[in-house]
Amino acid sequence: MRLDVDGSEVYAYTGTRPVDPAKPAVVFVHGAANDHSVWLLQSRYFAHHGKSVLAVDLPGHGRSAGAALGSVDAIADWLPRVLDAAGLAQAALVGHSMGALAALACAARHPARVAKVALLGPAVPMEVSEALIDAAKANDHVAYELINGWSTSAGKQLGGNTVPGMWLLGSAIRLMERTAPGVLHTDLVACSAWTGGLEAAAAVRCPSLVVIGARDIMAPPRAAKGLVETLAGARVVTLPDTGHAMMAEQPDAVLDALRGFL
């Protein structure tokens, strides 16, 4: 599905089903230098089980035009405009990594538009090392290698993909290689600069879910502790032996967590 948002074309995967404003809606928000494809299993499932689904490509990512948005709050304010473009009054937001921060901020800033919020692989704050930011700024391939090495648990770096014959780590690196120069740097700076996580969590009034990878190095479980304690009544699911790339490593477990919540 292609939408006009702020005068730019935005692509959203709908799970091969038309968006119906009469159905409960779910919007999936990807992380840094990713796109809608990281949500293929989960988005398709909900589209075929009674939901209207938008797995968006953020501006400058995937098939969406425009420049990458420079802050978490900018993404948070952009999401309601996506709902407007799709004719949706409200949606549950499901975000991963940077997308989790944006979903959290959106739930706090636009409470009437967010029915539920699911945060996968969040960290508050989401600190990013200067060395990694510098590598991304230089468009150095090592940035992709570091991020995906830290995002994939040790047991899944050489094998273990649920799709036989596919290399999980290599596929994740290839996805990042497809992004335009500068996009990863913009995303990492946005994550590192956002300091409003706990304030946003305190303002959230809708039901919330936090999904944590027990072996996540990019967003360690301890980095979500303050978030979980601040979100009122948050449901928490911890996936054992799972890294930051949880939708790829444990797609069925992620789907089960979302099914139980949504």
Side-chain angles (χ1 to χ4, degrees):
M1 182 179 192
R2 298 186 185 276
L3 304 168
D4 185 302
V5 182
D6 302 331
S8 291
E9 186 175 85
V10 169
Y11 178 80
Y13 177 68
T14 65
T16 73
R17 289 290 186 266
V19 171
D20 182 353
K23 295 179 179 179
V26 185
V27 174
F28 293 86
V29 190
H30 62 75
N34 282 178
D35 65 17
H36 71 278
S37 65
V38 299
W39 299 110
L40 284 182
L41 173 67
Q42 297 81 17
S43 58
R44 186 176 176 85
Y45 174 88
F46 286 108
H48 287 255
H49 289 80
K51 308 286 189 185
S52 284
V53 165
L54 295 174
V56 298
D57 283 349
L58 294 173
H61 298 71
R63 302 177 186 178
S64 288
L69 298 174
S71 71
V72 167
D73 287 338
I75 301 172
D77 292 339
W78 176 83
L79 291 170
R81 299 199 292 275
V82 172
L83 296 182
D84 291 340
L88 300 172
Q90 191 181 61
L93 299 183
V94 180
H96 174 249
S97 193
M98 179 181 73
L101 301 187
L104 173 63
C106 186
R109 295 165 71 91
H110 306 279
R113 309 303 299 274
V114 182
K116 296 182 177 182
V117 62
L119 311 174
L120 282 59
V124 174
M126 188 170 281
E127 299 174 343
V128 183
S129 73
E130 287 298 326
L132 180 55
I133 289 176
D134 289 345
K137 185 175 182 179
N139 295 308
D140 189 335
H141 195 272
V142 74
Y144 303 145
E145 297 166 19
L146 289 172
I147 288 172
N148 286 289
W150 293 333
S151 294
T152 309
S153 65
K156 296 293 179 66
Q157 293 205 12
L158 294 179
N161 197 320
T162 56
V163 181
M166 297 295 291
W167 183 26
L168 190 153
L169 183 59
S171 297
I173 291 176
R174 185 68 190 103
L175 175 59
M176 284 193 166
E177 288 173 343
R178 292 170 55 187
T179 60
V183 168
L184 177 60
H185 177 254
T186 298
D187 291 348
L188 293 181
V189 169
C191 290
S192 190
W194 194 55
T195 60
L198 294 183
E199 181 180 353
V204 170
R205 296 293 177 264
C206 65
S208 58
L209 168 71
V210 179
V211 183
I212 297 168
R215 296 192 178 277
D216 191 338
I217 296 175
M218 281 295 292
R222 66 178 181 276
K225 185 174 184 292
L227 172 65
V228 170
E229 291 173 347
T230 306
L231 281 168
R235 181 184 302 187
V236 181
V237 175
T238 299
L239 304 179
D241 299 319
T242 303
H244 196 58
M246 58 182 65
M247 294 93 73
E249 286 194 36
Q250 299 288 351
D252 293 324
V254 170
L255 176 57
D256 287 345
L258 293 175
R259 287 175 59 211
F261 177 64
L262 299 176

